Amino acid sequence: MADWKSLLREALLADGTIDAHETAVLKREILADGVVDREEVEFLTSLRNSARELCPEFTAFFFEALKLHLLADGVLDAEEGELVRKIIFADGVIDDSERAFLAELKREAKSISPEFEKMSSEALA
């Protein structure tokens, strides 16, 4: 039997897009427990990288969920820097929403590791 993530991903991407209604359902379910775990971040990243088109609501939710995950303890460590690097460098282009996200993360973090700072500087250069 296929796992639920594969089935859900297939259903959400059947038309190649993730619309506002689909985003609202994802948001409700992922934020239901008030925590965004690594598995949920990886699932959302997979959707983001596979969709032909994303609605603005999905993009906003994606960054909201990623921020909740990364700042759960207030610290941006080396491992989180690698996760962010993998996500924002996935398509080889750092866009304005990714730059804004990095700047927001850095403003809101209580502490930033040197490794995260290095990745961020490279992305924002």
Side-chain angles (χ1 to χ4, degrees):
M1 176 181 282
D3 69 282
W4 67 268
K5 288 180 294 209
S6 296
L7 291 172
L8 179 57
R9 186 175 178 280
E10 190 175 308
L12 288 169
L13 296 173
D15 63 358
T17 66
I18 298 180
D19 64 28
H21 174 72
E22 291 165 333
T23 299
V25 172
L26 279 169
K27 185 174 184 174
R28 183 179 66 239
E29 293 305 313
I30 287 177
L31 297 180
D33 63 359
V35 175
V36 180
D37 64 30
R38 179 74 179 246
E39 185 177 9
E40 290 166 329
V41 166
E42 289 172 357
F43 179 70
L44 291 172
T45 301
S46 157
L47 292 174
R48 180 178 187 245
N49 292 343
S50 299
R52 279 185 287 122
E53 187 177 334
L54 299 167
C55 67
E57 293 86 351
F58 180 86
T59 299
F61 170 58
F62 175 79
F63 286 120
E64 174 189 354
L66 184 55
K67 183 170 78 168
L68 285 170
H69 175 70
L70 294 169
L71 293 178
D73 63 358
V75 177
L76 295 172
D77 63 27
E79 182 180 329
E80 291 165 333
E82 281 307 306
L83 174 63
V84 172
R85 176 187 300 280
K86 186 173 101 179
I87 291 169
I88 65 171
F89 286 98
D91 62 358
V93 177
I94 312 288
D95 64 31
D96 290 340
S97 63
E98 291 165 334
R99 281 188 191 87
F101 172 70
L102 280 173
E104 185 178 323
L105 264 183
K106 289 176 67 174
R107 274 194 312 275
E108 295 184 24
K110 294 176 189 160
S111 174
I112 302 171
S113 72
E115 296 87 355
F116 193 98
E117 186 63 51
K118 182 176 186 277
M119 178 280 305
S120 177
S121 296
E122 291 170 9
L124 296 173

